[in-house]
Amino acid sequence: MPTKQKSKNTKYIFVVGGVMSGVGKGVTASSIGTILQARGFTVTAMKVDPYINVDAGTMNPTEHGEVFVLEDGRETDQDMGNYERFLNTTLDGMNYMTTGHVYQEVIEKERNLEYKGKCVQVVPHIPLEVIRRIKRAAKKADADVVVVEIGGTVGEYENILFIEAIRMLKLMQPKDVTTVMVSYVPIPKKVGEMKTKPTQHAVRTLNSTGVHPDFIVARSDYALDLKRKEKIALFCNISKDHVISAPDIESIYEVPVNFENAHLSDFLLAQLSLKPKKPSDLSAWKALAKRAVQSHAEVNIAVVGKYFDTGDFMLSDAYISVLEAIKCSAYKVGVKPIIHWVSSKQFTEKVLKKDVVKFDGILVPGGFGETGIEGKIHVIEYARKNKVPYFGLCYGMQLMVVEYARHVLKLADAHTVEINPNTTNPVIDIMPEQKKLMEAGNYGGTMRLGAYPALLKNGTLARKLYGKPEIQERHRHRYEVNPEYIAQLEAHGLVFSGKSPDGVLMEIAELPVAEHPFFLGTQFHPEFTARPLFPHPLFTGFVQEVKKFKEGRKTKKR
Ligand code: GLN
């Protein structure tokens, strides 16, 4: 008789937020995963987004931050990017869920009679579906531990059913579930003292749902002193060792090292009755954290985009993976990147030299729609003519082609049909299958999404940087370089160094290095696969040229 394989006794770590959002739940969840990986465990991570949206693809990035695209094409939350970067793993759609997704599935099952005539109720059926999804992701990853981050903060209506899922799972498997609360500990300017009361209230709110945090990660400007630690322990009813100080630090990549300095993995393993598999080995992270905070020559890189303003504030959350990809390559190259978030809206007429002359490199990231588009094209023209390293990602590549067509091919009205459907020179056109979807008003999750292969042309910059002839990269777009203009563009010097295997879709455009040190754009998003321990070759190539440009500037001055 075949022996039945014993299923894994997976452990579940839930990460919830207290007091307010935006204090680093994602980095905490990722870092917890990292320190457990370093103890020899197989870890996977999940994000729960309490929105009704079925995925993040239809949300405006100024509201929600970056839409992170997974290899399988799911459009998810930016925290998924953190998990992939910290855990150095490739996640899939199973690792992400929203309220919309959960309800959609429960309703579908009900319609299919899968509840066998039962009255389907918010409780228990919604939390049970949440638990089913968590277990499904654990099984797929064959994980010893799943870290599940619940979006939002405790006390909100929105995430209450996900917290109910924690309560129910803990009731079913008391030894396999633990909860970590990431809480904010403010130091009001006028008071000048670190206040723990908001955290105490947050714990009480969580308690009222039947869940108690076993750990509190206290986020603050400074490290917790012993007195505050003891206060949180006493009033929040947890052991002092389980109160983890998490002060602001220079680089997020120091967080796993700091957690381990507080012996967090030992405490988590004990809490979950897990025997350590090996002593902690964070040497690669320690080396990275060291490189991240070392002093290096500064380089100025402009990221020209439009998803920055929210009310009176500027946020760069919409481009978080781009930022991390630049940083990770900069640590490798040995420069300190100073990122200038430049709103393309400011370049409506012409690029003023005084505004751009300080940049050692220019990057135009992905985007949609008309706002600031002429500004981006001006900046690209400036970068091309002045041999400033230029890196275009998706929209940044499409606009690079538009700029080239307008100013080198002299097709004055060249455009993308996304903006001007009536142009006589549609150098960027809608993909035929996308046209049908648009006509049917079918927008959600329908772009060309996820990983696709591309073949690289010998002797090009892209081929040299990748060091291999075939690549796989993640996409998110509806438009493409119009095949009717390829011969013309190539005849005028633009090189398509990456193409889909059937040769139809242009995946990378570049100028030969003899003409420009780095003028390259990708139809895909390389930022999604850049990892701190394995920086992306195209970003590294870009940053290397940025460094050279800066050095060249210095020698010119002398
Ligand atoms: N708007 C462009 C398209 O849909 C580019 C998309 C992007 O930059 N992700 O093709």
Side-chain angles (χ1 to χ4, degrees):
M1 222 171 67
T3 47
K4 209 175 152 211
Q5 231 191 340
K6 203 172 160 274
S7 66
K8 247 184 191 168
N9 183 23
T10 304
K11 305 287 182 175
Y12 305 90
I13 301 177
F14 288 92
V15 176
V16 299
V19 181
M20 65 183 200
S21 65
V23 290
K25 270 197 316 284
V27 171
T28 300
S30 311
S31 301
I32 285 175
T34 306
I35 61 174
L36 293 176
Q37 262 185 346
R39 303 297 301 259
F41 293 96
T42 307
V43 181
T44 194
M46 281 189 88
K47 175 76 195 258
V48 168
D49 252 344
Y51 311 106
I52 301 288
N53 302 54
V54 173
D55 57 48
T58 53
M59 279 187 257
N60 186 330
T62 41
E63 272 189 38
H64 178 261
E66 171 183 271
V67 177
F68 188 83
V69 181
L70 299 176
E71 195 165 283
D72 67 2
R74 270 300 288 280
E75 296 170 286
T76 67
D77 181 81
Q78 62 188 47
D79 279 319
M80 298 295 284
N82 274 325
Y83 308 158
E84 285 203 345
R85 287 189 282 272
F86 276 82
L87 300 177
N88 188 29
T89 188
T90 299
L91 300 171
D92 66 34
M94 279 191 198
N95 295 72
Y96 180 68
M97 71 174 118
T98 67
T99 298
H101 215 207
V102 174
Y103 271 83
Q104 197 180 45
E105 180 133 356
V106 169
I107 292 169
E108 226 163 80
K109 281 185 184 160
E110 183 275 322
R111 295 287 81 188
N112 295 339
L113 278 183
E114 284 180 47
Y115 291 103
K116 299 191 172 36
K118 275 216 175 88
C119 170
V120 182
Q121 294 179 295
V122 167
V123 177
H125 294 104
I126 297 296
L128 283 175
E129 173 60 22
V130 172
I131 293 171
R132 187 190 71 81
R133 283 165 172 265
I134 295 171
K135 292 196 164 181
R136 185 183 61 170
K139 199 165 171 205
K140 170 117 195 272
D142 196 25
D144 300 311
V145 180
V146 192
V147 185
V148 187
E149 179 190 347
I150 312 282
T153 17
V154 297
E156 287 169 8
Y157 285 129
E158 274 204 321
N159 58 18
I160 196 81
L161 292 169
F162 295 106
I163 293 176
E164 178 70 357
I166 308 180
R167 188 191 68 77
M168 285 170 63
L169 188 58
K170 175 112 185 166
L171 193 67
M172 295 177 215
Q173 297 173 232
K175 286 206 155 131
D176 301 335
V177 176
T178 189
T179 303
V180 178
M181 179 189 268
V182 183
S183 191
Y184 181 57
V185 188
I187 308 171
K189 236 196 212 142
K190 287 266 150 59
V191 183
E193 185 202 343
M194 195 179 263
K195 304 303 270 181
T196 63
K197 191 74 81 197
T199 297
Q200 296 176 37
H201 283 304
V203 170
R204 251 167 240 168
T205 307
L206 185 61
N207 286 162
S208 71
T209 66
V211 176
H212 186 66
D214 303 305
F215 297 86
I216 291 178
V217 171
R219 285 282 298 113
S220 191
D221 297 356
Y222 300 101
L224 286 189
D225 60 356
L226 187 62
K227 199 166 163 198
R228 308 294 175 289
K229 211 176 220 192
E230 285 172 347
K231 211 166 175 181
I232 292 178
L234 178 67
F235 290 112
C236 298
N237 199 20
I238 65 172
S239 136
K240 195 175 70 189
D241 290 337
H242 288 197
V243 182
I244 309 295
S245 168
D248 281 354
I249 38 177
E250 211 177 313
S251 164
I252 52 170
Y253 300 117
E254 293 174 86
V255 176
V257 181
N258 284 359
F259 278 180
E260 216 32 38
N261 289 341
H263 308 288
L264 181 56
S265 70
D266 280 334
F267 296 129
L268 281 167
L269 295 181
Q271 183 73 27
L272 290 166
S273 320
L274 266 181
K275 272 203 207 87
K277 288 194 178 177
K278 62 171 187 141
S280 176
D281 178 11
L282 279 176
S283 47
W285 286 93
K286 282 184 185 155
L288 176 77
K290 205 169 148 198
R291 280 201 302 279
V293 297
Q294 249 164 16
S295 62
H296 287 297
E298 289 181 355
V299 292
N300 291 291
I301 298 178
V303 176
V304 185
K306 70 164 182 178
Y307 303 121
F308 294 123
D309 16 1
T310 121
D312 290 342
F313 296 90
M314 282 273 287
L315 265 187
S316 54
D317 256 22
Y319 305 107
I320 182 88
S321 292
V322 176
L323 172 66
E324 293 309 318
I326 296 175
K327 286 202 291 197
C328 297
S329 284
Y331 303 150
K332 184 171 176 177
V333 173
V335 288
K336 183 176 175 159
I338 309 295
I339 309 291
H340 301 261
W341 303 106
V342 182
S343 171
S344 47
K345 294 175 201 166
Q346 78 186 65
F347 299 125
T348 42
E349 289 303 320
K350 248 210 147 14
V351 180
L352 296 176
K353 263 225 156 123
K354 70 170 178 44
D355 291 327
V356 280
V357 79
K358 58 177 176 284
F359 303 137
D360 307 310
I362 293 172
L363 186 150
V364 174
F368 297 83
E370 191 170 9
T371 320
I373 195 164
E374 291 302 323
K376 287 180 189 170
I377 295 170
H378 280 309
V379 175
I380 297 169
E381 184 185 11
Y382 171 86
R384 182 174 57 79
K385 289 187 171 161
N386 293 281
K387 299 198 191 306
V388 183
Y390 171 77
F391 197 7
L393 312 178
C394 204
Y395 215 19
M397 178 263 210
Q398 295 175 355
L399 297 179
M400 170 180 156
V401 173
V402 170
E403 189 279 319
Y404 206 77
R406 282 190 191 174
H407 304 123
V408 182
L409 278 63
K410 306 286 178 212
L411 306 174
D413 75 335
H415 220 321
T416 160
V417 299
E418 179 175 356
I419 308 304
N420 181 4
N422 303 318
T423 173
T424 53
N425 287 297
V427 288
I428 304 295
D429 202 0
I430 189 149
M431 290 184 270
E433 55 282 15
Q434 288 292 329
K435 200 168 179 185
K436 286 183 217 137
L437 292 163
M438 293 300 87
E439 280 162 3
N442 195 353
Y443 291 98
T446 59
M447 283 187 239
R448 181 174 180 237
L449 288 166
Y452 286 93
L455 303 180
L456 305 180
K457 190 172 175 170
N458 279 335
T460 60
L461 178 60
R463 173 70 180 79
K464 182 177 148 219
L465 290 172
Y466 273 107
K468 55 183 179 185
E470 190 176 342
I471 55 162
Q472 278 255 78
E473 293 281 6
R474 298 184 197 176
H475 295 68
R476 181 171 188 251
H477 62 117
R478 294 192 198 279
Y479 298 84
E480 59 165 331
V481 178
N482 187 341
E484 284 175 23
Y485 285 86
I486 291 167
Q488 238 189 85
L489 287 160
E490 283 183 328
H492 284 81
L494 197 63
V495 176
F496 290 104
S497 48
K499 294 183 184 177
S500 59
D502 60 6
V504 174
L505 298 168
M506 300 301 108
E507 302 285 26
I508 309 177
E510 61 179 75
L511 276 182
V513 284
E515 271 174 57
H516 193 297
F518 196 106
F519 190 72
L520 184 146
T522 59
Q523 183 56 81
F524 49 83
H525 291 269
E527 69 271 27
F528 293 147
T529 45
R531 305 263 166 88
L533 299 179
F534 301 94
H536 195 286
L538 293 184
F539 276 92
T540 304
F542 172 63
V543 175
Q544 254 153 0
E545 288 310 319
V546 168
K547 183 181 180 210
K548 278 192 208 152
F549 187 88
K550 169 79 189 251
E551 286 165 357
R553 201 197 274 279
K554 268 195 256 157
T555 41
K556 249 187 245 160
K557 260 190 202 158
R558 262 181 225 141

